[in-house]
Amino acid sequence: MRRSTGGALVAALMTAATAVAVASGPNVATAAPAEPYTWKNVRIDGGGFIPGIVFNPGEKDLIYARTDIGGAYRWSQAAQSWTPLLDWVGQDDWGHNGVLSIAADPVDTGRVYAAVGMYTNSWDPNNGAILRSTDKGNTWSRTALPFKVGGNMPGRGMGERLAVDPRDNRKVYFAAEGGNGLWRSVDHGVTWGKVTNFPNAGNYVADPADPNGYLNQNQGLTWVTFDPASPAVYVGVADKENPVYRSLDSGATWERVAGQPTGYLAHKGVIQGRYLFIATSDTGGPYDGAAGQVARLDTTTGVWTDISPTPVADRYYGYSGLTVDAKKPGTLMVATQISWWPDAIFFRSTDYGATWTRAWDWNGYPNRTKRYTMDISANPWLDFNSTAQAPEESPKLGWMNESLAIDPFDSDRLLYGTGATLYGTTQLTNWDANTTFTVKPFAKGIEETAVQDLASPPTGAPLVSALYDVGGFHHADLDTVQPNFHDTPALGSNTGLDFAELSPSFFVRVGNAEAAPHIGVSNDGGKTWYQGQQPSGVTGGGTVAVGADANAVVWSPAGTGVHYSATRGSTWSASAGIPAGAEVESDRVNPKTFYGYAAGKFYTSTDGGATFTASAAAMPTEGRVNFKAVPGSSGEVWLAGETGLLRSTNAGQTFSTVGGGVSEGVNVAFGKAAPGATNPAVFLVGTVDGVDGVYRSDNSGAHWVRINDDRHRYGNAGDALAGDPRIYGRVYLGTNGRGILYADRNGGPASPTPSTSVSPSTSVSPSPSPSTSPSGNSGCSATYKLTGSWTGGFQGEVTVKNNGTATTNAWKVGWTWTAGQTVTQSWGGTATQSGAAVSVVNAGYNGTLTSGASTTFGFLGGTTGTTNPVPSPITCSTTP
């Protein structure tokens, strides 16, 4: 269950404003024990809409990009890649990964601002916020707003809505949606107040009758821009009859600009010299728009001129992406806001819009001549598995081209966003010389996919994914962009997949295609696919489960009830005893056993999915619920929900609560067992000891270690989760907008991720003979063993046993290392070290041991030499 973050409203007085301010930072949470992990993205590059690109005009190569659901990024010129800036956003404030606007301070270039919030309707429970940074986004402070912000709402490509006054960089403006008007800060974004005398809060609504509350928002104000040569401030308004306002006295008074064009919404407003240019469309976008114009205001004479590149009679698109060349007065470009067919169109003028040339022109239908070539070799999937017929081409130049920006320091560099990636060129002035320039993806580091399901089989590729929009991939190499996404059939947005645990080359995949098919089948581990059949009435993918031996499939699609197949998806029959829409999973050992969950009830089938029986076990009834069966353990299934983590060892007949401090679960998964352990590692996205995060347990949930940290929380994450069955400690985490993450334990050499069926060798070493403390007058004994080692480090575990006849209330274990070892982390006990001597006292939950009972604690250590001998003796006392 997502919870709203609180904040205190602090009143402040500002000129011509009613001020509201909330100052807070990113959520700070410390989880103990913790284990250091390295988190990396599985490389896809892009995969979503890029609504904004912002060059800082005060510093070369300082560039920011914003996404609608995946946070913000900063360009690294040295690495030629993007660095994510909002990975600290967590489950409670997940909507703050929606970035409606970015403003870069041109005076103090370390400062940057972001307006964050994902939805203005009920989908996002939290209000929006303004983030501010003084170190280019490495760290942030946050001021809450008294209203919501819609980084993923209609109109999100307009802007930028945030802007820093170059004449006084203490002043920052925010043009809000939702009828909330114009806001201003005079202290570098710390406090904010509404500009009460701004005359128009906007009135454009895409669809007032939308029952979902998504299209019926007033799109409000759309952009703010400054005239650097005067005190003038210009503001765009989502009002077709009054789209542009200005202040000529630094924001003290405001007026509608006389003579302005009407009938459209001004998506962009850019000043060059004495001219204000605006690009307009008949809708707020980003998916639609059929008409518009480009206009120019001479700010010295007040005269407006229609400089649209295309005659009115020939327009089937509006305009949005608008940029000027700071080094070449009179040079500007504009993009079609939507030109789905045959392609996007970019226009360029070198005479302030008096004349234009096009990126491509007709050359006798269906042929086109182009000023550019496309090179997608870095991200080959951008051809969308297509060989389009002329006049269309694969890849396309773009669509949803709201962001278009010429580098203010380099006339040859242009970056622009599309609905799928970020493109650019470093040869733009070839356009003026009538020579060809090359357009390439510039999306490395941006991972923006919405992940629906993940599978890590015991053989084949390390990972197979199901994603919205771009479908998903067979990830033969986690660090390499794959050549194509799932195809034949593609299935549109893929919603689920599964493989046969005992025959893992067999996969089934389902998705939300607009029409049949909604299912694909693979016999080679998800690399290639063929179309499956589907029951009558299917309208969407839902979830799917494959029996352990590949001879049964259970599918819970949208549009109809749960069905099962005994013919690998070629024929289907309705399942009985389980409601439509249930989430389904398979037992990983018994090929006849399947599980389901719906509306607070857990269901089990023991006949291949033909019939299901509801369990009497208490289940969470609302919130996010995910469950998985355990590989290698027949009848064992774990369920994560807002009430915690539940475990069944009898195929769902009864469940017990998993302890270890777990109070809430989002998802659970299983991976390769720790060295010396018999049960698989358990991964949990949830809350342990009051801290939400990603956790691992090596002892079936008795104890947990946190494996992420407060800089790596990834917002709305965890509905897709998979452990790696071949590499101990590795986990794959799906997010809603930050792509797929994979994480490995620090300290050990990375194991390979081959696409063969051979499991890689483990990176940990076998344990030497354990050292045990003598039993006797101490009342307890302790057994020390190494569970893993690598260059410069190791992991150990100590078992403490009560050998006495009375119950202990506490214990203390000690030893002395002889080879310079040091303890760096501990869990299940508190470790301290003085010189070579180490002492460990019990944690709060495991000091009490009845006669004969035992407990364990673990630790990570460091080594400086080539040996790591087991210490002896190991002392144990019940009177610490």
Side-chain angles (χ1 to χ4, degrees):
M1 179 179 180
R2 302 185 183 107
R3 300 173 300 276
S4 299
T5 52
L9 291 180
V10 180
L13 297 178
M14 300 174 65
T15 303
T18 302
V20 179
V22 178
S24 66
N27 291 340
V28 177
T30 302
E35 183 176 333
Y37 259 64
T38 296
W39 290 81
K40 296 173 63 178
N41 271 109
V42 175
R43 276 195 68 190
I44 295 170
D45 289 8
F49 179 39
I50 309 291
I53 300 166
V54 175
F55 284 85
N56 189 316
E59 182 175 335
K60 182 176 174 60
D61 295 326
L62 181 52
I63 316 166
Y64 299 95
R66 61 181 173 94
T67 71
D68 46 12
I69 62 172
Y73 294 82
R74 184 186 64 235
W75 176 250
S76 169
Q77 182 68 13
Q80 291 289 291
S81 66
W82 298 89
T83 300
L85 302 178
L86 300 185
D87 284 351
W88 51 266
V89 172
Q91 297 279 0
D92 284 344
D93 51 5
W94 56 268
H96 290 179
N97 263 333
V99 184
L100 181 66
S101 189
I102 286 180
D105 190 328
V107 179
D108 181 356
T109 58
R111 294 185 183 273
V112 62
Y113 304 87
V116 297
M118 201 167 292
Y119 299 105
T120 60
N121 61 3
S122 62
W123 300 347
D124 188 340
N126 297 323
N127 283 342
I130 303 294
L131 307 182
R132 63 188 186 277
S133 174
T134 58
D135 55 11
K136 302 178 181 178
N138 291 326
T139 61
W140 298 87
S141 297
R142 177 165 48 188
T143 299
L145 293 169
F147 51 82
K148 294 186 176 184
V149 169
N152 196 33
M153 294 292 288
R156 61 191 178 272
M158 297 191 281
E160 292 294 313
R161 287 175 160 98
L162 272 176
V164 179
D165 189 339
R167 297 169 63 86
D168 180 357
N169 72 324
R170 296 173 300 174
K171 293 182 180 179
V172 189
Y173 283 83
F174 175 47
E177 321 135 282
N180 290 300
L182 184 65
W183 287 66
R184 180 173 61 212
S185 172
V186 296
D187 56 7
H188 297 293
V190 177
T191 59
W192 289 81
K194 186 175 182 179
V195 181
T196 55
N197 64 343
F198 189 81
N200 190 342
N203 61 18
Y204 175 75
V205 176
D207 180 4
D210 178 23
N212 297 312
Y214 183 68
L215 298 173
N216 55 12
Q217 175 196 228
N218 176 1
Q219 295 184 18
L221 309 186
T222 58
W223 47 265
V224 179
T225 193
F226 297 91
D227 185 345
S230 77
V233 188
Y234 292 84
V235 177
V237 178
D239 178 345
K240 291 185 178 182
E241 299 307 311
N242 307 282
V244 183
Y245 286 76
R246 72 179 173 191
S247 171
L248 298 177
D249 49 17
S250 298
T253 62
W254 299 88
E255 65 181 9
R256 179 186 186 276
V257 180
Q260 63 185 271
T262 60
Y264 302 112
L265 303 175
H267 280 224
K268 307 286 180 182
V270 180
I271 286 181
Q272 184 188 58
R274 72 176 193 266
Y275 294 114
L276 168 71
F277 300 95
I278 63 171
T280 72
S281 181
D282 59 345
T283 73
Y287 307 106
D288 53 0
Q293 69 178 136
V294 183
R296 182 186 70 204
L297 170 66
D298 187 327
T299 61
T300 62
T301 65
V303 174
W304 286 89
T305 304
D306 184 347
I307 57 169
S308 302
T310 306
V312 173
D314 295 334
R315 292 179 206 162
Y316 55 92
Y317 43 76
Y319 302 94
S320 183
L322 175 67
T323 184
V324 298
D325 188 336
K327 299 179 71 66
K328 293 180 177 292
T331 297
L332 66 152
M333 292 180 64
V334 69
T336 50
Q337 193 270 315
I338 282 294
S339 176
W340 293 105
W341 182 94
D343 210 337
I345 311 171
F346 295 163
F347 304 90
R348 182 173 171 90
S349 173
T350 57
D351 54 11
Y352 297 95
T355 61
W356 298 85
T357 52
R358 293 166 46 121
W360 60 266
D361 288 284
W362 293 109
N363 185 29
Y365 184 86
N367 300 313
R368 292 190 282 156
T369 59
K370 301 181 297 180
R371 298 177 182 272
Y372 63 92
T373 59
M374 299 287 290
D375 176 5
I376 61 167
S377 56
N379 300 157
W381 62 265
L382 285 167
D383 65 4
F384 277 67
N385 300 337
S386 171
T387 53
Q389 298 297 310
E392 293 189 276
E393 295 181 350
S394 300
K396 283 183 174 287
L397 185 61
W399 61 93
M400 296 165 61
N401 303 120
E402 301 266 20
S403 54
L404 183 75
I406 298 173
D407 187 341
F409 293 92
D410 183 355
S411 298
D412 270 316
R413 177 156 63 176
L414 171 79
L415 297 178
Y416 69 93
T418 76
T421 192
L422 193 156
Y423 279 122
T425 183
T426 57
Q427 303 169 323
L428 181 59
T429 59
N430 287 7
W431 186 316
D432 304 326
N434 290 317
T435 56
T436 302
F437 58 93
T438 301
V439 173
K440 299 180 180 181
F442 279 76
K444 183 180 179 182
I446 293 179
E447 296 293 342
E448 203 189 345
T449 51
V451 185
Q452 304 304 298
D453 207 355
L454 297 171
S456 183
T459 61
L463 186 69
V464 183
S465 63
L467 311 173
Y468 261 27
D469 299 324
V470 295
F473 293 83
H474 174 270
H475 300 276
D477 185 329
L478 304 178
D479 299 316
T480 302
V481 178
Q482 296 304 294
N484 52 269
F485 51 73
H486 298 318
D487 200 12
T488 319
L491 307 184
S493 288
N494 285 212
T495 60
L497 54 79
D498 194 18
F499 63 91
E501 187 70 40
L502 307 181
S503 183
S505 61
F506 182 72
F507 265 78
V508 176
R509 175 173 55 88
V510 293
N512 287 343
E514 293 183 1
H518 296 93
I519 185 169
V521 180
S522 173
N523 288 314
D524 59 4
K527 185 176 183 180
T528 62
W529 301 84
Y530 64 88
Q531 177 180 329
Q533 301 302 308
Q534 63 186 47
S536 175
V538 173
T539 60
T543 60
V544 69
V546 178
D549 65 356
N551 287 320
V553 180
V554 173
W555 184 14
S556 179
T560 189
V562 178
H563 282 67
Y564 71 99
S565 173
T567 57
R568 296 195 170 200
S570 61
T571 59
W572 295 91
S573 301
S575 300
I578 186 171
E583 179 182 349
V584 294
E585 295 281 352
S586 65
D587 193 271
R588 310 314 284 181
V589 176
N590 190 326
K592 291 291 188 179
T593 300
F594 289 83
Y595 306 107
Y597 168 88
K601 290 284 187 181
F602 194 84
Y603 299 84
T604 301
S605 171
T606 58
D607 56 8
T611 60
F612 283 80
T613 302
S615 168
M619 294 280 113
T621 58
E622 59 183 16
R624 299 159 78 182
V625 175
N626 291 285
F627 64 96
K628 297 222 175 50
V630 180
S633 182
S634 178
E636 184 173 357
V637 59
W638 295 47
L639 183 144
E642 66 172 12
T643 59
L645 186 59
L646 304 177
R647 179 189 184 191
S648 174
T649 56
N650 56 11
Q653 295 180 47
T654 61
F655 283 82
S656 60
T657 300
V658 177
V662 179
S663 59
E664 183 175 356
V666 172
N667 208 343
V668 64
F670 305 94
K672 183 179 176 66
T678 56
N679 294 327
V682 186
F683 296 97
L684 171 71
V685 177
T687 303
V688 177
D689 295 332
V691 179
D692 71 88
V694 186
Y695 292 85
R696 191 193 77 238
S697 173
D698 294 335
N699 53 11
S700 297
H703 305 108
W704 299 90
V705 291
R706 189 184 183 201
I707 62 175
N708 73 323
D709 56 43
D710 291 331
R711 299 296 298 173
H712 302 89
R713 301 177 74 201
Y714 305 114
N716 190 0
D719 282 314
L721 186 72
D724 193 303
R726 289 173 268 185
I727 300 176
Y728 166 58
R730 175 174 287 182
V731 65
Y732 303 96
L733 176 68
T735 73
N736 184 38
R738 269 290 283 122
I740 307 167
L741 284 303
Y742 76 99
D744 285 315
R745 300 162 59 245
N746 284 359
S751 299
T753 55
S755 57
T756 68
S757 61
V758 180
S759 298
S761 59
T762 180
S763 63
V764 294
S765 302
S767 172
S769 299
S771 176
T772 304
S773 64
S775 60
N777 58 14
S778 67
C780 66
S781 62
T783 302
Y784 177 116
K785 68 176 181 178
L786 294 176
T787 59
S789 62
W790 52 88
T791 302
F794 64 100
Q795 180 172 331
E797 183 179 86
V798 176
T799 300
V800 181
K801 182 178 181 180
N802 179 7
N803 299 311
T805 58
T807 298
T808 68
N809 294 317
W811 48 260
K812 180 178 181 179
V813 172
W815 65 81
T816 299
W817 273 320
T818 59
Q821 302 101 316
T822 57
V823 63
T824 58
Q825 300 269 350
S826 65
W827 54 92
T830 302
T832 58
Q833 183 169 356
S834 177
V838 178
S839 64
V840 183
V841 297
N842 59 274
Y845 61 84
N846 63 358
T848 300
L849 297 175
T850 59
S851 177
S854 62
T855 188
T856 61
F857 66 87
F859 61 91
L860 297 179
T863 58
T864 56
T866 58
T867 62
N868 182 22
V870 172
S872 182
I874 310 296
T875 64
C876 185
S877 171
T878 57
T879 56

